Amino acid sequence: MQQLDEIVPAAFNGAVPFLELTPASQGGWSLYGGRIHARVPATATYLPDPEEDEEAIDYRATLTLDVVNGRLACTQLTLQSIDDEIPVTSDRIRKIPVGEFVAAAAELGGAFDYYQRAGSAYKVTKSFSPPPSDFAAQGMTDDALEQISQLYAFCMATGQKPTGVLAREYNLPRPTTSKWIAAARRKGILVDEHRRLPDDFIGDPLERRIHEATGAKDGG
């Protein structure tokens, strides 16, 4: 069975030793009908150490991460030179790997809580558990559509292409993946609904609590 670090593209050759993530303690977003609780706005800080990392950039970078169109994204970037003799210039700014930082933050964990089905029950996890390798063996069952919906929501929230992951990790052709995702939507298994949670929402990611917070308090 695939592991998380096999599905999320690892930044910095598989190691992110100088990135620290601080998720929000309240509020955030409910993504894909409550499948994911995004603990944002979060702060990711890159701490360069040239002695340990030959490719270290010249700045301390602080990123504000939030949800944009259902996925984790950088909404603010602050740079501070680690050397008074190294100015912040446009050429150096263009070299900042913002996309890699965001992917690394998603990989580190803490920004998302996942509400996943496990057999007949549901569980809340801090890290995503991918579907078993044979989840599609019995065809387009409701259980298989649930599994593909979980993976779809995870991929979209972390900035990946679900069809690419399913083709690479599960040998599912892209036309088949598109057909199954469409079926999951028709059956209401996959819901493309994203709602910002109230600021006083304390972070219990169970679907019932998320829908109470987004529905009852927002009048929905």
Side-chain angles (χ1 to χ4, degrees):
M1 180 162 129
Q2 292 87 348
Q3 299 298 314
L4 178 66
D5 58 1
E6 293 175 345
I7 290 183
V8 179
F12 309 113
N13 298 320
V16 195
F18 310 115
L19 192 69
E20 296 179 354
L21 179 68
T22 304
S25 59
Q26 294 181 309
W29 279 81
S30 166
L31 304 179
Y32 294 95
R35 289 184 180 276
I36 298 174
H37 174 204
R39 295 178 176 272
V40 293
T43 301
T45 304
Y46 171 76
L47 307 171
D49 188 344
E51 294 183 0
E52 296 291 335
D53 183 4
E54 294 180 355
E55 299 181 2
I57 62 175
D58 298 323
Y59 308 122
R60 174 191 176 106
T62 302
L63 295 80
T64 298
L65 305 176
D66 211 328
V67 168
V68 178
N69 296 326
R71 65 182 59 195
L72 194 67
C74 176
T75 57
Q76 180 175 309
L77 173 64
T78 303
L79 302 176
Q80 180 180 355
S81 178
I82 61 174
D83 188 328
D84 292 338
E85 296 183 359
I86 300 177
V88 176
T89 66
S90 57
D91 286 341
R92 288 193 170 97
I93 290 175
R94 281 193 287 269
K95 296 179 181 179
I96 305 298
V98 175
E100 291 185 8
F101 286 157
V102 174
E107 182 184 354
L108 283 173
F112 297 124
D113 288 332
Y114 301 96
Y115 181 79
Q116 291 190 265
R117 187 167 132 189
S120 60
Y122 284 82
K123 63 180 179 178
V124 176
T125 62
K126 295 291 184 183
S127 59
F128 179 74
S129 298
S133 58
D134 62 348
F135 84 92
Q138 301 302 315
M140 197 189 298
T141 64
D142 283 354
D143 182 67
L145 293 179
E146 170 65 24
Q147 295 282 359
I148 205 171
S149 296
Q150 290 180 8
L151 184 60
Y152 178 91
F154 166 77
C155 289
M156 294 298 291
T158 55
Q160 300 178 77
K161 293 183 178 180
T163 54
V165 171
L166 285 159
R168 184 178 68 250
E169 303 294 343
Y170 295 93
N171 295 317
L172 281 180
R174 293 175 188 267
T176 299
T177 296
S178 298
K179 182 179 178 181
W180 283 33
I181 290 172
R185 285 195 174 104
R186 285 196 304 271
K187 289 192 170 189
I189 298 173
L190 176 59
V191 180
D192 296 288
E193 178 191 57
H194 315 309
R195 296 190 181 185
R196 184 178 289 279
L197 297 169
D199 290 340
D200 60 354
F201 185 72
I202 61 174
D204 184 336
L206 289 173
E207 185 179 42
R208 177 178 61 82
R209 290 288 304 281
I210 289 179
H211 281 294
E212 286 176 357
T214 58
K217 292 191 177 183
D218 291 344

